Amino acid sequence: ELVNLAMKTYVEEYQFKEGETMLPTVYHVLYPSLNLETGEALSDEEKAEAKKKAEALKASVTSLDDLKAKADEAGANKEAAEAAEYTVSLGQMVKPFEEWCFAEHKIGDIDVVETIYGYHVIYFVGQKEADDEQKYQIATKAMQKEMNDAVEAGGYEAEIK
């Protein structure tokens, strides 16, 4: 209970750094390289086809609305497994996806990013202010980092009685 109280107090009193609560918002379309129900990898030919479709979509997109319309069509044809907009928090997505999201981008940047799930066509929509849950996660991660840094630096000593 004491740990929960300390965490709650830290998070409630956490002073966010400038820009820390601005999170990237992206729209993505996933062309899977594995069977999302079984987790089994697709054949090399199927993976190559998924990559080809993702690259073709990227090359053809003229705007966010255009991407959404084409994503709807790809979903209806069962070519794309998912199309959605996300405001991304650190630790929320697989590493290559997250790294792309948190890199320097301007609105309208688009690319194909490969992850363990397949080929994501990712479109940078902009940044949004973190909601309360995302702010809680940011503050909690900061507390965890501060604690880990203190332990690694030898700045934390536990007195055992």
Side-chain angles (χ1 to χ4, degrees):
E1 193 171 313
L2 184 58
V3 170
N4 288 337
L5 179 61
M7 288 176 62
K8 183 177 187 243
T9 302
Y10 182 95
V11 169
E12 287 174 353
E13 295 181 10
Y14 182 73
Q15 298 295 308
F16 294 97
K17 297 173 193 78
E18 185 176 334
E20 191 174 18
T21 60
M22 296 305 293
L23 300 176
T25 300
V26 299
Y27 188 86
H28 92 109
V29 182
L30 172 62
Y31 289 88
S33 61
L34 51 83
N35 181 315
L36 296 177
E37 292 177 10
T38 66
E40 293 180 28
L42 299 179
S43 70
D44 289 344
E45 295 79 24
E46 291 169 313
K47 288 179 187 177
E49 185 63 25
K51 183 176 183 180
K52 181 179 170 185
K53 288 177 181 176
E55 293 286 356
L57 177 61
K58 174 192 168 198
S60 72
V61 169
T62 59
S63 68
L64 179 57
D65 289 337
D66 183 46
L67 175 59
K68 288 179 177 182
K70 289 175 179 175
D72 287 345
E73 185 178 321
N77 295 338
K78 304 281 190 229
E79 294 175 347
E82 180 183 63
E85 184 172 296
Y86 293 107
T87 298
V88 181
S89 298
L90 282 171
Q92 178 184 0
M93 301 293 186
V94 292
K95 194 169 184 88
F97 190 105
E98 185 176 282
E99 286 175 347
W100 190 92
C101 292
F102 280 91
E104 184 82 21
H105 292 291
K106 62 184 185 299
I107 294 172
D109 284 354
I110 187 170
D111 209 347
V112 174
V113 175
E114 182 179 4
T115 71
I116 61 171
Y117 300 105
Y119 301 94
H120 303 259
V121 179
I122 308 177
Y123 184 100
F124 188 74
V125 176
Q127 291 188 320
K128 290 185 181 173
E129 179 74 21
D131 63 27
D132 288 343
E133 184 170 326
Q134 291 166 323
K135 287 179 182 178
Y136 178 85
Q137 291 171 356
I138 292 167
T140 300
K141 282 184 174 62
M143 181 185 68
Q144 290 168 338
K145 182 181 182 322
E146 190 173 321
M147 290 172 60
N148 288 340
D149 290 350
V151 169
E152 288 175 11
Y156 170 78
E157 294 180 26
E159 185 177 321
I160 301 173
K161 295 182 180 182

